[in-house]
Amino acid sequence: MTLQPPQNDLPIGIFDSGIGGLTVAAALHHRFPAESLLYLGDTARLPYGTKSPETVIRYALQAAAFLRGRGIKILVLACNTASAHALAAVRAAHPDMPVVGMVEAGAEAAAAASRSGRIVVAATEGTCRSGAYPAAIAALRPTATVNQIACPMFVALAEEGLADGPIAEDMARSYLGAAFQGDQAADCLVLGCTHFPLLRPALRRVLGDAPQLVDCADEVARQVDSRLHAVGAAPAGAIGGIRLFSTDTPQRFARVAARFFPDLGAAPAVELVDL
Ligand code: DGL
């Protein structure tokens, strides 16, 4: 698949249930300052992590169709839950467009980062139930042991702007403390939900400096780089910038987005859309 030159200047499409994927958008912006980004947060239907695979697939297909309709050259499912359930369906619906998910990237980073092979994947209930991470890590490192821990409250803390502080620390201790203690302690924590990197300082204070914290965003940015080069779609002109869409509460979304992209100003424009 080779994209034609006019398509090279099309934006990179990024999608998550809410603000979590902004951690991925920020990594992409950092790696490709000249690329335009289109970001969709499906805030009206958040959280995805507690929903059935069928529902998440339906939502992800709608989000992909929306971004495709606006014109994009590559799509990043910046949501582990959507990647775990819907990556194959989205790829099948858009065979002529590269689609990159979070799980393959996270598994690759974890398999490389862990020394002991004892890996904890912190994710949503849906991602855990899908078994996507254990399968992807086993394919790369068959001797690894993968302990999946659903941490649904982390999503709410991140969305509420409470990702750092005593509540986040208590939650982190209660979900993850035991897995990082004793002789069989894990040495690697995969932040298997794009909201979770926002809890990194609290996680560090609770778990200490020893465990590797794997944030899939940088690895996804690397994969996007290689996919764009493979299809000859590096940008021809320097455009840059991000356009934001949300399916609910655009003002709230704008406030959060401003923290990730300070050059957009205090109140970046967020277009309210219906999928
Ligand atoms: N940020 C999403 C993920 O990476 C899910 C959060 C949610 O909607 O439950 O899994």
Side-chain angles (χ1 to χ4, degrees), residues 39-231:
Y39 184 95
L40 169 66
D42 190 7
T43 46
R45 303 190 291 194
L46 173 112
Y48 279 18
T50 51
K51 300 203 163 59
S52 67
E54 294 74 20
T55 297
V56 173
I57 291 171
R58 185 156 51 83
Y59 290 176
L61 286 170
Q62 289 171 344
F66 168 81
L67 287 168
R68 191 83 201 262
R70 296 283 171 142
I72 53 172
K73 61 183 170 187
I74 186 168
L75 175 65
V76 180
L77 297 188
C79 172
N80 286 265
T81 313
S83 303
H85 293 312
L87 182 63
V90 174
R91 282 186 173 151
H94 300 276
D96 55 338
M97 175 178 68
V99 182
V100 174
M102 301 303 299
V103 175
E104 290 159 357
E108 225 171 89
S114 173
R115 260 189 256 147
S116 66
R118 286 190 292 275
I119 297 169
V120 171
V121 176
T124 63
E125 282 170 39
T127 300
C128 292
R129 257 187 284 113
S130 77
Y133 266 105
I137 294 171
L140 297 163
R141 191 161 166 184
T143 54
T145 57
V146 179
N147 178 7
Q148 301 188 94
I149 302 180
C151 307
M153 289 303 292
F154 284 177
V155 176
L157 290 172
E159 289 283 333
E160 292 302 323
L162 294 171
D164 200 3
I167 308 177
E169 285 177 31
D170 280 350
M171 285 286 163
R173 203 169 290 112
S174 124
Y175 281 138
L176 301 170
F180 289 89
Q181 279 163 10
D183 320 336
Q184 293 306 303
D187 71 349
C188 176
L189 174 65
V190 180
L191 304 175
C193 168
T194 51
H195 284 72
F196 295 1
L198 299 170
L199 281 96
R200 186 186 272 273
L203 289 167
R204 268 287 169 235
R205 284 196 296 278
V206 170
L207 303 178
D209 292 332
Q212 299 277 344
L213 299 190
V214 170
D215 170 353
C216 317
D218 290 333
E219 179 56 26
V220 161
R222 200 193 55 72
Q223 291 195 359
V224 168
D225 205 347
S226 72
R227 295 302 296 272
L228 287 181
H229 276 94
V231 297

